[in-house]
Amino acid sequence: MIEPMKKVSIVILNKEREQSLKALRKLGLVHLENIEGSGEKLSAFKETVNNALLSESVLGEIKLQKKKAKAKLLSVEETAELCKEVVSRVERKKVLLDQIASDANELERFYDWGSVNLNDFAYLKEKGISLKMYEIPSDKYNLIDKDIETIILNKDRKTVRFLILNGGETRPEKLLPQAFEVPFPREDTDFLIKEIKDSEKELNNIQAFYEEKAVYTDSIKNLLNSLQTDIEFETINSGMEREDLGNVNDLAWITGYVPVADMEKFKDYCSENGWAYAAKDPSDEDMVPTKLKNNKFVSLIYPLTDFLGTVPGYHEFDISGWFLLFFTIFFGMIFGDGGYGVLVTVAAIFLLFVNKLKKKPSSPLLGLMLLLGLSTVAWGVVTCTWFGLSADTLRNLGLGILPDISVPVLSNAYTEVSPGVTRYWLLPWSNPGEGLSNSQCLQIFCFILALLQLSVAHIKCVIKDRKSLKILGDLGALFQIWGMFYVILMMVISKRDFPMDAIMLFDKVPIGLFCIAMLGVGFVLSFIFSNYAGSIKDSILESCKNIISVLLGVVNVFSDILSYIRLWAVGLAGSAISGTVNSMAAQIAGGEAGTVIVHAIMFVLMIVLIVFGHGLNMILNLLSVIVHGVRLNTLEFSSHLGMEWSGFKYKPFSEEKV
């Protein structure tokens, strides 16, 4: 359930603001509304955090030697100073790298010219000899006007590099346009070479500094944890609303949320500290945090929802129990193989046993893992799916009990009784020799799950709106689910096995016609009452405005039920992969006769193939669970509940973070 909250406002003396906030943090009950803080102290904290984050990133890349892997923790002040030093060297490193790149580009530009000394050019210019550097294609050099005095420095097959003597400050008018003037380097080339060497030496010193200080990454992590608390505190301290009258009795106040169950404790604490407070129920516009409270079994789903980051809004439903129930079923069907389930179950039990030996509290994740493993084992029992082995193979291995205890209409063991003869589930109204195949029965089971889960969604909506005429719109949506279920059986499974007149209700109305009528009645009720908010007329007008969405809603009901067939399809794909792996392994095991060494090699290859193939299949199945099993809960089921997962967790202002 979602715990009810009270919106509280606390009024304190401004001069006691910091002391009161420390006491409030010690209480650890009030989830404060978002506050924007400011001030030099807060800015300094944030700057230190940025320095620490950058330092952790830089030093964390250094691989420590074992003898340097441990170091004493630094104090907060020492760690902050270390982070400043690291950041200064990071900035210096950027400068050096840019400088090296710039120098290297200059040297590359004058690589074919050789050493260039700017002092030589300046000296000659003082003596009345002005020189400029030019390049020109080799076949154009002889075409340069004879009045232009040139000196060739070097040439190759493509380019001639030459100097023009006393060519003036501007380009000579008679100079061919193909001649390109080469600007002087910004420094002597020998100086650039030396500067690169000096920069590389300094970079090596910086790297040595990183390697020396990398042993203090734990100190930096501790600093970050400490700073997060300091920033939170200073943000609230500096951002609190307060009077600014200059009086000693100026007030400050803050607003937040407290669970109703903890209100007595909150009130007593306010009285002890001399705080004034006010409490009221949150409005629909308030951003109220969500605090879930469920028993230990239902709480097993929390590791998954925390991983997904899904939190119901305060005014939405808590579907943790239903989520756990259906996700457990979906996991078993998608993972699909009882053998895989045994491996997951054994692994979970082993980890729980290890934690018990080490006297560590067991993680809810291990409990969820055990539950999902057992679910997969149960599905393997029902369908006789064990590492992709056929029923005959299981009997040959002395495991004939597994096919015998499976459920015939869903079991792979009963798909073929003898070659070419398929066993069908004979419906009461079917003709002899007709009926449903194993695959069709599994598909029907998927649609039954859809009917159950989506019906739960709309029944919850009916209960929520029981005091309003909107309940009729919820009932209409429920009728559409039930009616569409039979339509899908006719269209997807078999019109022969689910005809319009298969069963007569009250010996008068064919069930198919009844379901079509239910679908139509449901649509009318939804059209009239789904938007009801006090006026039937306004509700109908709203539906008319969104007529396209309303009509598509019927299509969505069809697609939502049909989407549950993915449970069968994905499970079938996993079973096919298992069978393929076993077939390949059997071919290796049944190879031609050979030496003992050959047989040993083939045996090892077979084991590697089995482990790799089934291991890969388990990984693919796990990904399928995340994609498909989670989707059916967070999309199809949730959309019929009207949930948007718009909530955020209850995180009280406290010394220990929840």
Side-chain angles (χ1 to χ4, degrees), residues 326-351:
F326 285 104
F327 180 76
T328 302
I329 297 172
F330 298 159
F331 185 97
M333 294 178 67
I334 292 175
F335 223 66
D337 194 296
Y340 296 169
V342 170
L343 295 179
V344 174
T345 303
V346 170
I349 293 174
F350 174 75
L351 293 173

Side-chain angles (χ1 to χ4, degrees), residues 398-637:
L399 299 173
I401 188 174
L402 297 179
D404 294 340
I405 63 175
S406 61
V407 178
V409 295
L410 300 176
S411 173
N412 296 314
Y414 292 88
T415 300
E416 291 189 359
V417 179
S418 60
V421 179
T422 303
R423 174 169 293 186
Y424 290 93
W425 175 32
L426 192 64
L427 296 171
W429 56 85
S430 299
N431 295 322
E434 297 178 350
L436 299 172
S437 67
N438 171 269
S439 293
Q440 288 176 315
C441 292
L442 286 169
Q443 293 172 33
I444 292 173
F445 184 76
C446 293
F447 296 142
I448 291 174
L449 285 177
L451 179 67
L452 292 175
Q453 188 174 30
L454 299 183
S455 294
V456 166
H458 290 289
I459 290 172
K460 290 179 74 68
C461 291
V462 166
I463 295 173
K464 183 189 72 170
D465 297 325
R466 62 188 179 277
K467 297 181 180 180
S468 167
L469 284 179
K470 193 175 181 180
I471 189 176
L472 297 176
D474 298 325
L475 288 171
L478 186 61
F479 292 165
Q480 289 184 70
I481 295 292
W482 292 345
M484 190 62 75
F485 172 73
Y486 195 81
V487 171
I488 286 179
L489 293 182
M490 286 192 295
M491 296 179 66
V492 178
I493 303 301
S494 171
K495 189 175 181 180
R496 180 200 67 193
D497 295 298
F498 295 96
M500 291 286 289
D501 56 352
I503 299 178
M504 303 295 289
L505 293 176
F506 311 112
D507 296 327
K508 293 182 179 180
V509 182
I511 188 172
L513 183 60
F514 178 80
C515 289
I516 297 295
M518 181 178 288
L519 185 61
V521 171
F523 174 78
V524 173
L525 288 174
S526 295
F527 186 87
I528 297 174
F529 296 102
S530 61
N531 298 302
Y532 182 80
S535 170
I536 296 178
K537 179 181 177 181
D538 292 342
S539 179
I540 295 174
L541 288 175
E542 189 65 28
S543 295
C544 290
K545 291 178 185 177
N546 301 289
I547 187 64
I548 302 298
S549 298
V550 172
L551 294 175
L552 288 177
V554 180
V555 179
N556 289 338
V557 172
F558 177 86
S559 63
D560 287 347
I561 297 177
L562 190 62
S563 67
Y564 281 71
I565 204 172
R566 70 182 69 231
L567 299 171
W568 164 76
V570 176
L572 184 64
S575 179
I577 293 175
S578 297
T580 301
V581 171
N582 293 340
S583 177
M584 294 171 64
Q587 291 178 7
I588 294 175
E592 297 181 358
T595 64
V596 175
I597 295 177
V598 171
H599 279 294
I601 294 174
M602 298 303 288
F603 178 77
V604 171
L605 287 176
M606 181 187 70
I607 297 299
V608 170
L609 175 62
I610 290 174
V611 172
F612 175 77
H614 284 287
L616 178 61
N617 195 25
M618 290 181 70
I619 293 173
L620 293 175
N621 287 343
L622 183 60
L623 293 175
S624 297
V625 167
I626 295 174
V627 173
H628 302 293
V630 169
R631 172 201 163 101
L632 292 175
N633 281 290
T634 57
L635 187 60
E636 276 82 359
F637 182 44

Side-chain angles (χ1 to χ4, degrees), residues 102-141:
S102 176
D103 291 348
N105 287 336
E106 283 287 87
L107 289 174
E108 184 179 2
R109 191 160 66 90
F110 289 94
Y111 178 79
D112 295 321
W113 286 85
S115 178
V116 179
N117 192 316
L118 297 180
N119 291 331
D120 292 343
F121 284 92
Y123 175 78
L124 292 173
K125 190 171 184 179
E126 290 178 0
K127 300 300 183 181
I129 303 174
S130 177
L131 299 175
K132 287 190 176 182
M133 305 167 66
Y134 281 87
E135 292 179 351
I136 193 169
S138 297
D139 58 346
K140 300 294 183 182
Y141 178 76

Side-chain angles (χ1 to χ4, degrees), residues 14-164:
N14 188 33
K15 64 182 180 181
E16 299 175 355
R17 189 173 71 248
E18 188 167 333
Q19 177 184 349
S20 297
L21 284 177
K22 289 179 180 179
L24 186 64
R25 184 170 63 180
K26 187 175 181 180
L27 173 64
L29 283 181
V30 185
H31 177 109
L32 298 176
E33 289 187 335
N34 288 334
I35 293 176
E36 294 293 333
S38 60
E40 294 182 3
K41 191 174 181 180
L42 181 60
S43 299
F45 280 141
K46 291 182 177 179
E47 182 181 356
T48 306
V49 166
N50 292 334
N51 291 345
L53 288 172
L54 180 57
S55 300
E56 183 184 31
S57 175
V58 171
L59 299 183
E61 295 178 356
I62 305 298
K63 293 184 178 180
L64 294 175
Q65 299 176 4
K66 290 185 178 180
K67 62 181 181 179
K68 292 185 177 180
K70 294 183 179 180
K72 66 175 185 179
L73 294 176
L74 301 176
S75 66
V76 171
E77 294 76 14
E78 290 173 331
T79 308
E81 192 61 34
L82 171 62
C83 292
K84 285 184 180 180
E85 293 180 20
V86 172
V87 170
S88 67
R89 282 168 172 76
V90 169
E91 293 171 350
R92 178 58 182 165
K93 184 176 180 179
K94 291 179 180 178
V95 172
L96 292 172
L97 290 173
D98 290 341
Q99 186 172 290
I100 290 174
S102 176
D103 291 348
N105 287 336
E106 283 287 87
L107 289 174
E108 184 179 2
R109 191 160 66 90
F110 289 94
Y111 178 79
D112 295 321
W113 286 85
S115 178
V116 179
N117 192 316
L118 297 180
N119 291 331
D120 292 343
F121 284 92
Y123 175 78
L124 292 173
K125 190 171 184 179
E126 290 178 0
K127 300 300 183 181
I129 303 174
S130 177
L131 299 175
K132 287 190 176 182
M133 305 167 66
Y134 281 87
E135 292 179 351
I136 193 169
S138 297
D139 58 346
K140 300 294 183 182
Y141 178 76
N142 292 329
L143 301 178
I144 296 176
D145 193 288
K146 303 301 181 184
D147 293 338
I148 301 175
E149 296 183 75
T150 63
I151 300 175
I152 295 178
L153 291 185
N154 63 57
K155 62 180 179 179
D156 52 37
R157 284 175 24 182
K158 293 183 178 180
T159 307
V160 173
R161 296 166 192 87
F162 63 96
L163 298 173
I164 293 181

